[in-house]
Amino acid sequence: MISNLIVFSSLLMAGWFTLQYLLKPGLRERVEQPKFAFLRQLSMYDMQTGAGAKSSSEDLHELNDDQDQLGHQVNNSSGETK
Amino acid sequence: MHSTDSHTNQSSVESHAEFNPQVESLLVRAHSLAAFATLLLAVCFGILVSLQFVFPESLGAFPSWGRMRYAHTQGIMLGWLGNAFLAFMYHAVPVLSGRPVTSRTLGQCLFAIWNFAVMIPGWILVLSGFSQPLEWAEFPLPVDVVIVVGFILAAVQFLPGFFKQGFENLYVSSWYIIGGLVFTLLSFPMGNIVPELVPGAAGAAFSGLWIHDAVGLFVTPMALAILYYVVPASTGKPIYSHFLSMLGFWGLFFLYPLNGIHHYIYSAIPMAAQLTAIAASFLLGLVVIIVVSNLMLSQRGFGLIPKNIALRFASMGVVFYLVVSLQGSMQADMSFSSLVHFTDFIIGHSHLAMLGFATFAGIAGIIHAWQRLPGFSLDAKILDWSYYLLVFGIWLMVLDLTLAGFVQGALWQDATPWIDSVRASAPYWAVRSLSAIPITLGFGLLFYGLLSSRTESATDQAASSGNEQNRSDTTQKGAIGSVGFSPALRMSYVAAFVCGIGFFVLSVSILGVIPFQSLQDETALLAPTASLALSPAQERGRVIYAREGCAYCHTQQVRYTESDLRRFGAPSLAWEGRKDTPHMLGTRRIGPDLARASGTRTDQWHLAHLYAPRTVVPASVMPGYPELFEGSADRPGREALDLLAYIESLGRERELAWPEGDERARALTDDERALMSLTAEALNAHPGRTRPLGSAPVLPSGELQGSDNSGLGEQLFRDNCSGCHGDSGEGDGPASSLLSPPPVVFAEHRYRRDLLTEILWNGIHGASMPGWRDLSLEELAALANVVDSFSLVDASSTTSPLLAAGQSVYETNCAACHGDGGGGDGFAAQNLPIPIMPTDFTREKLSEAAALRALREGVAGTSMAPWGDRLNTQEMTAAVHYVRSLYQEQIGDD
């Protein structure tokens, strides 16, 4: 039955990706990377145009902190995994 | 050393990618203003459409209802949302990709095409009657071709930046923009062109794909791209989880295209395809919960009503998205669908999707972009007011329509007359129209806010634009923050992209091509070999039916549900629509289904109904079409006659399909649903059609009705009978002059209760009097009491010295039709040129004056000829006395 196939394949794919994400810290960092990059691009754009509510340099500092934190978590968890 | 370190090293090499986010401010502004201008026009069309339900007589000066509805929905989707998304993309794509869009000149061309070659001609054409009757695809094919060109130009304008950037660091908004543009390019031609080539239920399958793809693959991806952009940009914090956002992205693009056929549950489309759509709809609900949770968690700490106005609109957009998606999943449930499908619940749902979720996202995107336009600042107070007005108006409309949907669904499940659901909907439709006030004010304020946005002085602007020019001249280097990826991983993104296209092909195969093949097989198996082709007049009528949007209020699909079967006859089989290109299945019922309309009403009734619907159905909200006539209902123009011919053709082929008996058809198939259709009790013809007098149930006596029913009969008479018979039964209702035979003057007739019951139950075959079998027995009894009460004819037996002479006249001249005993059963009764049976004098007594008039002048519209020139006055008087003496009071009659 096609409907069963769709349900099971969807759940399997989602489950597999979730497991990969949880078990592989490197993948986790890669997958989460774009959200930091995007905010950095936004800050740079705001700095260039003088727009934006927050100070862009503040944003960039916060971003770097956030990303460092993620990197630490990844390193720690990957160390634990090994 | 683990991989993260190697990526970091690579990152240092690749991190200084080109970053030149030159935003085309002029195009942002142009598309934003065009968006609001088209929005206000589209809302005006919507208001006029809604007012039709409240003041059905007052919109004569405007184009017809169906045309304005076409203009409304296309205006919202293409004019408002199309322009809003383009405005947002002109701002966002350079920031997301780090590169300017392809070309400013291309942008100007795209703006001109979208607004001056799509919207304006599209509107003019549909309002002039050139359209296609396909949901969300109403602009005619030449305009569709221009739309495809527009989408191609949009892809050329916005996508190259992403390809140059590479997929390794693509933010979720970028994925949605790429996905939305590419999928819409694929699905738009499929949804707009294929149903013009593929007939009937198979065409509806493709049409259903587009109905959902328009929302799921065009509107939703763009709206989510905005939400994922505006939320972090407004909070200054990254979204909660990019992984969840990508899980949502792939889930949506896999499942959304598979939803399409949930618009046609219980239809003739193969059940396997329906179940696939139902399963995908439920799963989609789960995916949406993931997406919404992610977006909600990304706004933590900013409150329910954030101060940032763009974030506030985005935040409410997320709430709308959650509600509308859960509604969508619920509607796919078969039992829930059998209750709410075709009702205003669906209209509320689609308004929540397009006017709630997508519109709030679009507004958030525009406000965010305008806040960043050099030299522009928006008035916060105006935006505040606009927000609260829109939130109030949209929730009011959606809640109101949701309740209306439940009321309509419940009434349709009962065996009440169709018009009861129209009458019960009246207060809800009034509230819906009132909700347009805050909504229009909200949109108007937003438009005013943009138009009156404060700009810098001319010198400042020149300096600002000079700075912008400098930035564009100088290639700026900036970190896009990329993490390096191996070639294999890059290939995986490409593979994923190919997968995305594969999802589209999969959905078209499962929900379009395979059902098409299956329906072809069923048609080949069951369709009658002697096919009834539409006559040229019927073909022309079909074009008029499509042009005026009749299919948007009258479906042509009897579903496989008990309530449909009871009301409209046997469920529609696949072959019934095999000549319908494009299909007319419809997705909404304001009026009843017309799949079996043939033979349910007389031509005169239809013409009166088309010319002035409330003359024959006082509570109707249907628009009149006097433009199809030459000044009055009894002077139909060619178009009115063509439309009538088409309506009379509906269901006739099914009725005549198996003259040798349905057993032969049943023997051909083992498909359960086909067998259900072929063994239905009310087989083939409309169950509401008039029947010869004879059988009828026994009505409860007056004593059984109790005091609760006082006034019920009068109300029923006013609602259902007064259009023809007049308020006091004098046969002088507004439609009376249009009908032949004219409606009965009840004061001049006395019906025996059993005959009156038969007439109410079966109608009068050959006349415009329909059967009222959808009224309950108590209601019929109350109605019969009212009809009785109008009569001034004495029921007691008539005595006269002229009886013997009258009998002689009768036997010589009248008995051939009216029968020897006056029972209306003479030998000639079955072969009359007009199939209205002669009066049964044993059960119907006329006043002396009425009987004499009928005898002298005949009865128009029946086979009763005038006898004034063949009988003298004495003979006629004697005959009248005689037939009045034949009346026999029913034993036990009150």
Side-chain angles (χ1 to χ4, degrees), chain B residues 665-828:
Chain B
R666 282 199 291 273
L668 289 173
T669 182
D670 55 0
D671 180 84
E672 276 179 31
R673 287 185 321 140
L675 286 172
M676 176 183 171
S677 177
L678 291 166
T679 52
E681 189 185 345
L683 194 60
N684 294 344
H686 194 293
R689 165 186 285 206
T690 53
R691 298 173 182 169
L693 296 182
S695 64
V698 176
L699 300 186
S701 68
E703 291 78 20
L704 288 175
Q705 291 172 45
S707 57
D708 287 349
N709 283 345
S710 61
L712 172 66
E714 288 78 4
Q715 178 69 41
L716 287 167
F717 188 86
R718 225 174 8 255
D719 293 341
N720 302 307
C721 315
S722 63
C724 299
H725 292 284
D727 289 337
S728 51
E730 291 293 323
D732 57 353
S736 59
S737 62
L738 307 172
L739 305 177
S740 180
V744 166
V745 181
F746 291 124
E748 298 179 333
H749 292 253
R750 165 70 60 189
Y751 295 98
R752 214 169 74 178
R753 177 55 69 105
D754 57 339
L755 175 63
L756 187 53
T757 306
E758 286 176 27
I759 293 173
L760 288 171
W761 186 256
N762 299 301
I764 297 181
H765 196 54
S768 294
M769 169 71 187
W772 294 94
R773 290 186 290 278
D774 43 7
L775 292 176
S776 68
L777 296 185
E778 285 73 20
E779 288 171 325
L780 284 173
L783 198 52
N785 287 345
V786 172
V787 172
D788 266 345
S789 72
F790 289 136
S791 177
L792 300 176
V793 178
D794 183 9
S796 58
S797 58
T798 301
T799 55
S800 165
L802 298 174
L803 289 184
Q807 183 174 6
S808 167
V809 174
Y810 179 88
E811 285 171 354
T812 309
N813 301 295
C814 314
C817 294
H818 290 278
D820 292 338
D825 54 355
F827 67 87

Side-chain angles (χ1 to χ4, degrees), chain A residues 29-33 41 48, chain B residues 4 7 95 240 242 476 481:
Chain A
E29 194 197 7
R30 278 181 215 144
V31 170
E32 295 299 335
Q33 170 62 25
Q41 285 163 243
Q48 285 177 9
Chain B
T4 315
H7 289 149
V95 179
Y240 177 73
H242 199 255
Q476 299 194 11

Side-chain angles (χ1 to χ4, degrees), chain A residues 1-4 6-11 13-14 17-19 21 25-27 29-42 44-46 48-49 51-54 59 62-63 66-67 71 74-75 78-79 82, chain B residues 2-4 7 19 21 23 91 95-98 165 169-171 228-229 232-233 235-243 247 254-255 258 272 275-276 279 283 368 371-372 471 476 478-483 485 489 510 514:
Chain A
M1 197 75 177
I2 297 172
S3 51
N4 291 336
I6 285 167
V7 171
F8 288 120
S9 61
S10 306
L11 294 178
M13 277 193 288
F17 279 122
T18 307
L19 270 180
Y21 177 79
L27 178 70
E29 194 197 7
R30 278 181 215 144
V31 170
E32 295 299 335
Q33 170 62 25
K35 72 182 184 187
F36 299 111
F38 168 59
L39 222 56
R40 195 173 295 119
Q41 285 163 243
L42 268 177
M44 288 168 60
Y45 171 75
D46 283 351
Q48 285 177 9
T49 57
K54 278 184 85 174
D59 283 349
E62 280 181 23
L63 267 176
D66 284 351
Q67 204 171 3
V74 167
N75 288 337
S78 89
K82 283 194 168 182
Chain B
H2 30 75
S3 59
T4 315
H7 289 149
F19 186 70
V23 170
H91 170 79
V95 179
L96 288 164
S97 67
Q165 182 193 350
N169 223 358
L170 218 50
Y171 179 61
Y228 274 121
Y229 188 103
T235 60
K237 294 178 187 302
I239 56 168
Y240 177 73
S241 165
H242 199 255
F243 167 73
L247 201 60
F254 178 54
L255 294 168
L258 293 170
L275 289 175
T276 302
L283 278 177
H368 177 84
Q371 283 173 335
R372 278 153 183 78
R471 277 198 298 279
Q476 299 194 11
I480 303 185
S482 89
V483 173
F485 286 88
L489 198 58
I510 293 177
I514 295 173

Side-chain angles (χ1 to χ4, degrees), chain B residues 321-404:
Chain B
Y321 183 50
L322 176 66
V323 178
V324 78
S325 302
L326 295 182
Q327 273 184 333
S329 296
M330 281 162 57
Q331 285 162 213
D333 174 73
M334 292 190 82
S335 55
F336 195 66
S337 170
S338 70
L339 176 69
V340 301
H341 197 45
F342 300 138
T343 72
D344 274 326
F345 187 98
I346 309 301
I347 308 301
H349 171 69
S350 55
H351 277 89
L352 191 57
M354 302 299 260
L355 214 55
F357 159 57
T359 290
F360 269 55
I363 293 171
I366 287 178
I367 291 176
H368 177 84
W370 276 63
Q371 283 173 335
R372 278 153 183 78
L373 284 177
F376 279 81
S377 106
L378 299 170
D379 187 326
K381 270 191 182 169
I382 290 180
L383 300 183
D384 267 354
W385 271 100
S386 162
Y387 172 82
Y388 289 113
L389 283 166
L390 286 173
V391 168
F392 172 70
I394 289 170
W395 276 122
L396 177 64
M397 176 196 275
V398 171
L399 288 173
D400 173 66
L401 289 174
T402 303
L403 289 175

Side-chain angles (χ1 to χ4, degrees), chain B residues 423-750:
Chain B
R423 203 175 294 112
S425 304
Y428 299 98
W429 287 335
V431 172
R432 186 254 301 267
S433 291
L434 288 174
S435 73
I437 295 172
I439 291 172
T440 312
L441 279 175
F443 287 140
L445 276 178
L446 266 174
F447 194 28
Y448 173 74
L450 293 191
L451 287 173
S452 64
S453 56
R454 289 189 297 278
T455 55
E456 292 171 2
S457 66
T459 326
D460 293 341
Q461 279 190 44
S464 168
S465 63
N467 290 340
E468 202 176 335
Q469 190 59 44
N470 287 339
R471 277 198 298 279
S472 65
D473 290 345
T474 314
T475 304
Q476 299 194 11
K477 299 286 182 185
I480 303 185
S482 89
V483 173
F485 286 88
S486 65
L489 198 58
R490 290 184 189 197
M491 283 305 293
S492 76
Y493 278 101
V494 175
F497 192 71
V498 173
C499 264
I501 307 270
F503 292 167
F504 176 78
V505 175
L506 181 75
S507 71
V508 173
S509 305
I510 293 177
L511 299 190
V513 177
I514 295 173
F516 170 72
Q517 193 53 51
S518 171
L519 289 165
Q520 291 282 86
D521 294 345
E522 189 189 319
T523 298
L525 189 69
L526 289 176
T529 45
S531 169
L532 272 184
L534 289 184
S535 69
Q538 290 164 347
E539 287 282 8
R540 289 195 301 271
R542 190 176 188 283
V543 172
I544 299 163
Y545 187 93
R547 181 187 77 195
E548 303 302 341
C550 304
Y552 281 34
C553 290
H554 297 281
T555 55
Q556 284 186 31
Q557 50 164 323
V558 185
R559 300 204 299 168
Y560 288 75
T561 63
E562 281 301 316
S563 57
D564 261 30
L565 199 149
R566 191 174 58 241
R567 278 185 189 280
F568 306 122
S572 301
L573 289 166
W575 65 264
E576 290 182 60
R578 71 190 192 282
K579 283 173 272 178
D580 262 351
T581 312
H583 74 93
M584 296 283 188
L585 266 66
T587 55
R588 172 76 177 99
R589 285 176 182 161
I590 307 282
D593 184 273
L594 296 183
R596 307 266 187 275
S598 168
T600 53
R601 294 287 188 273
T602 61
D603 289 358
Q604 289 165 346
W605 188 97
H606 276 306
L607 291 173
H609 190 236
L610 281 174
Y611 184 79
R614 277 151 294 286
T615 56
V616 281
V617 186
S620 170
V621 292
M622 183 172 127
Y625 294 91
E627 63 273 16
L628 305 180
F629 293 75
E630 292 166 2
S632 65
D634 53 359
R635 295 177 60 201
R638 198 192 78 174
E639 289 206 326
L641 294 173
D642 290 344
L643 187 53
L644 175 62
Y646 174 65
I647 292 169
E648 274 303 316
S649 76
L650 297 174
R652 187 169 292 161
E653 193 173 19
R654 170 71 187 257
E655 189 180 2
L656 303 175
W658 300 292
E660 74 283 12
D662 300 310
E663 290 76 13
R664 187 188 69 81
R666 282 199 291 273
L668 289 173
T669 182
D670 55 0
D671 180 84
E672 276 179 31
R673 287 185 321 140
L675 286 172
M676 176 183 171
S677 177
L678 291 166
T679 52
E681 189 185 345
L683 194 60
N684 294 344
H686 194 293
R689 165 186 285 206
T690 53
R691 298 173 182 169
L693 296 182
S695 64
V698 176
L699 300 186
S701 68
E703 291 78 20
L704 288 175
Q705 291 172 45
S707 57
D708 287 349
N709 283 345
S710 61
L712 172 66
E714 288 78 4
Q715 178 69 41
L716 287 167
F717 188 86
R718 225 174 8 255
D719 293 341
N720 302 307
C721 315
S722 63
C724 299
H725 292 284
D727 289 337
S728 51
E730 291 293 323
D732 57 353
S736 59
S737 62
L738 307 172
L739 305 177
S740 180
V744 166
V745 181
F746 291 124
E748 298 179 333
H749 292 253
R750 165 70 60 189

